[in-house]
Structure formats: structure tokens, C-alpha cells
């Protein structure tokens, strides 16, 4: 896997070190679970806090299926 460099917004959640995409997604999920950001009624939805809203493009909530697409915009 090729290490990818996170954007400034993404690095606030996962750190500044370049890591593979699979690790980026894993770290985002760890952050979501640690901060209890999964929607209680619909577990497929992720609620954004201040840090995640910057990654989500200002949206309050996205589905877990949109997560990979959103991450693509924040890595080089």
C-alpha cells in the first residue's frame, strides 16, 4: 500500500504521518467510535463533530459508504 499524506483537516483526526488508505479509514473509525459519533438510530450514518465536519465538507452527517469518497479529497 502506498502511504498517503493527509490534508490539514484530516491530520487533526488521524495525525500528520503519511499512511496507507486502509490505515486512514481505520483511524477515522477509531475516532468515530471513541467519540461516540455513530448515529444511534441509523448505525450507517456518521455524525460530524467540529473536526469531522471539516472533512465532510461542512455536512452534519454522512453515511459510512460516503466515507472513502470524502477521504479521497483529503489525501495526496
Amino acid at each position: 500500500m502506498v502511504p498517503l499524506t493527509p490534508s490539514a483537516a484530516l491530520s487533526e483526526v488521524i495525525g500528520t504521518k503519511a499512511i496507507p488508505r486502509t490505515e486512514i479509514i481505520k483511524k477515522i473509525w477509531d475516532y468515530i467510535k471513541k467519540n461516540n459519533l455513530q448515529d444511534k438510530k441509523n448505525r450507517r450514518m456518521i455524525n460530524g463533530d467540529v473536526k469531522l465536519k471539516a472533512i465532510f465538507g461542512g455536512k452534519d452527517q454522512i453515511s459510512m459508504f460516503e466515507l472513502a469518497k470524502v477521504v479521497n479529497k483529503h489525501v495526496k
Side-chain angles (χ1 to χ4, degrees):
M1 288 291 202
V2 179
L4 301 169
T5 306
S7 68
L10 184 57
S11 66
E12 288 194 29
V13 176
I14 66 163
T16 57
K17 190 174 145 191
I19 56 176
R21 183 180 315 277
T22 54
E23 285 296 309
I24 291 171
I25 299 295
K26 183 179 180 299
K27 286 187 177 221
I28 291 173
W29 271 108
D30 290 344
Y31 179 84
I32 290 166
K33 289 176 182 172
K34 180 180 136 199
N35 293 295
N36 202 22
L37 296 171
Q38 212 170 355
D39 193 71
K40 301 211 181 327
K41 291 181 182 172
N42 184 355
R43 303 291 286 169
R44 293 182 184 173
M45 300 303 285
I46 301 164
N47 298 319
D49 63 358
V50 176
K51 291 179 181 179
L52 287 182
K53 279 185 186 181
I55 299 168
F56 294 171
K59 293 182 182 178
D60 290 330
Q61 191 178 58
I62 67 166
S63 77
M64 64 174 56
F65 305 110
E66 293 176 74
L67 189 59
K69 183 174 138 185
V70 169
V71 167
N72 283 341
K73 297 176 184 175
H74 290 278
V75 294
K76 292 180 192 169

